[in-house]
Amino acid sequence: MIKIVLSGCCGKMGKIITECSKQFNNLEIVAGIDKFPTEIGYPVFKSADEMNVEYDVLLDFSRADALEGLLNLTEKTKKPFVICSTGFSEQQLDLINEKSKSLPLFKSANMSLGINLINSLLKKVAPMLYGNYDIEIIEKHHNQKVDAPSGTAVLLADTIKNSLKDETKYVYGRVGNCKREQNEIGIHAIRGGSIVGDHDVIFAGTGEVIELTHKAISREVFAIGALKACEYMGSITQPGLYDMNDVIGLD
């Protein structure tokens, strides 16, 4: 049995992960961490410093500002840490990369199988289309999401950018009086209502448009992905920075 400590357990995603964990015979959430604890069926601590329950995997689905405390806990226990939060600063991303040299860390901007399949496809498609097609990314999320653009949009954009030989630049939204430049990758964020998460990658050419689209119908898709990552990381002891490609075998 893999014992999980869930950071952000009392939030929307935390509650869904807790419910979905009942589908896994080899996983058990033994404790949680949340600034605003509520009754959820296992002990909940207000901070990582207070957490004193033994565990096998630390799972975080909270906010970026919890990172430092969770990394400190991971350094004490040397247990795998699955990072599912988004909105990290460049300094925080550098910290994750540095800590992965001595700790088993998992990080993914999106826990969905579908998104990761699209991301893998972009590595092959983008170099074939770039130059003859303009590339734009549109992401849509609910009105409570705090970071924009989404971590998934950045993931997709970075994959495209890194797959191209030519230098490209990101343009976030569009305003003013100027034509689009050929080397731009447009990234646009929409916030409204209860949209779970939609992502469109658009290749707009002369006379045709190619679109790769992913729509999350339920937050359960992210919960299941996070729990599968815990399954995978439960057997990992070597330091490194792991991701969903490792979990689903895309590499």
Side-chain angles (χ1 to χ4, degrees), residues 86 109-110 138-153 188-199 216 219 222:
T86 60
N110 192 296
I138 302 174
E139 59 97 341
K140 307 171 189 175
H141 283 87
H142 52 90
N143 57 20
Q144 298 301 301
K145 186 170 177 61
V146 297
D147 57 312
S150 68
T152 300
H188 312 274
I190 294 172
R191 297 288 176 267
S194 59
I195 301 171
V196 174
D198 296 352
H199 292 85
R219 288 186 174 87
F222 309 124

Side-chain angles (χ1 to χ4, degrees), residues 54-171:
E54 291 189 3
Y55 69 94
D56 299 308
V57 178
L58 173 61
L59 171 59
D60 176 44
F61 229 124
S62 58
R63 293 175 61 163
D65 57 12
L67 178 66
E68 185 176 349
L70 296 172
L71 282 173
N72 288 340
L73 175 60
T74 301
E75 287 190 311
K76 292 178 183 177
T77 63
K78 305 300 181 185
K79 298 295 185 179
F81 177 18
V82 176
I83 306 169
C84 300
S85 297
T86 60
F88 295 112
S89 66
E90 288 299 322
Q91 291 79 8
Q92 288 176 314
L93 293 174
D94 289 342
L95 179 61
I96 291 170
N97 288 329
E98 181 62 29
K99 294 297 184 182
S100 71
K101 296 176 182 178
S102 58
L103 299 169
L105 304 182
F106 174 103
K107 180 183 176 298
S108 179
N110 192 296
M111 304 305 297
S112 156
L113 170 64
I115 280 290
N116 284 279
L117 289 173
I118 286 177
N119 195 52
S120 180
L121 183 60
L122 285 173
K123 297 176 184 178
K124 300 179 180 180
V125 171
M128 298 171 61
L129 299 180
Y130 179 75
N132 296 312
Y133 293 78
D134 297 323
I135 305 173
E136 300 280 318
I137 298 171
I138 302 174
E139 59 97 341
K140 307 171 189 175
H141 283 87
H142 52 90
N143 57 20
Q144 298 301 301
K145 186 170 177 61
V146 297
D147 57 312
S150 68
T152 300
V154 174
L155 168 70
L156 299 175
D158 285 347
T159 294
I160 294 170
K161 185 181 183 69
N162 294 335
S163 72
L164 302 176
K165 294 180 180 180
D166 295 347
E167 284 292 324
T168 56
K169 63 180 181 180
Y170 296 154
V171 174

